[in-house]
Amino acid sequence: MSKFSTILVAIDFSDSSDNAFQMALSMAKSFSARLLILHVINEPVDMRGFYVPHISFQKLEEEINEGAQKMMESFCRQNMHGFEDFESLIVSGLPYEQIIAQAEEKSADLIVIGTHGRAGLDHVLFGSTAEKVVRKSKIPVLTVRLEEG
Ligand code: AMP
């Protein structure tokens, strides 16, 4: 089996991604790998400078960034004690594009994601981010399904 040295886990703060995160953390520990924890601020592309006046949009963006930063800090505080070889990343854009782009940029050798995110969508096998990452990534992807109930 290949040795994974850098594992990227993509989190959207849903139960499904928490579950994927636990798998990624335990793999990082087993392989002594570096863990990259990525959250993508899903950019409201249609709103950019169009419906909302520029200045208030800028303020909104700042507040979104600060909120995301706080959520990530609290997530890492709760989950990362006892494991130090990690980096948290927050970027804006389309989640599936950024998950792949960041994994490539940081030379990750495995991407870990949940099969579903915050939208749920139980009737489909994969949520849309999961499906696109699996279809388009050249880096191996591990999808983790949350068994409920
Ligand atoms: P989805 O396909 O949107 O139902 O989400 C499936 C998985 O993709 C989630 O469990 C996360 O691992 C990842 N994901 C979805 N949205 C984001 C996001 N905005 N930032 C980081 N990871 C995400």
Side-chain angles (χ1 to χ4, degrees):
M1 183 163 48
S2 316
K3 175 160 178 357
F4 299 115
S5 51
T6 303
I7 297 173
L8 181 144
V9 60
I11 62 166
D12 62 359
F13 304 108
S14 63
D15 289 349
S16 170
S17 88
D18 278 2
N19 186 51
F21 168 82
Q22 293 304 334
M23 172 71 82
L25 178 60
S26 99
M27 289 181 76
K29 287 178 178 167
S30 310
F31 286 101
S32 301
R34 180 165 179 70
L35 188 62
L36 306 174
I37 308 165
L38 171 69
H39 176 65
V40 184
I41 297 170
N42 201 344
E43 225 168 50
V45 178
D46 292 336
M47 280 171 58
R48 231 181 299 161
F50 182 59
Y51 300 113
V52 188
H54 186 65
I55 185 72
S56 70
F57 184 73
Q58 214 171 34
K59 180 98 188 104
L60 176 69
E61 204 167 51
E62 274 169 30
E63 284 185 13
I64 290 172
N65 287 341
E66 274 171 29
Q69 199 68 50
K70 281 192 185 139
M71 285 176 84
M72 180 62 96
E73 278 165 18
S74 144
F75 183 90
C76 291
R77 251 197 320 276
Q78 279 172 34
N79 290 287
M80 298 313 291
H81 33 83
F83 186 82
E84 291 188 356
D85 194 6
F86 76 94
E87 184 183 344
S88 64
L89 302 163
I90 297 180
V91 297
S92 298
L94 281 177
Y96 86 90
E97 278 184 3
Q98 285 304 321
I99 292 168
I100 295 172
Q102 293 298 318
E104 286 177 354
E105 196 179 309
K106 301 269 176 180
S107 305
D109 27 40
L110 180 70
I111 296 173
V112 181
I113 51 174
T115 51
H116 295 89
R118 279 182 295 179
L121 295 177
D122 270 349
H123 59 287
V124 289
L125 181 59
F126 275 151
S128 64
T129 302
E131 187 195 338
K132 286 183 188 129
V133 173
V134 167
R135 283 178 45 213
K136 292 177 194 273
S137 173
K138 295 189 191 115
I139 296 170
V141 180
L142 173 67
T143 61
V144 186
R145 187 183 171 87
L146 173 64
E147 290 299 336
E148 288 176 270

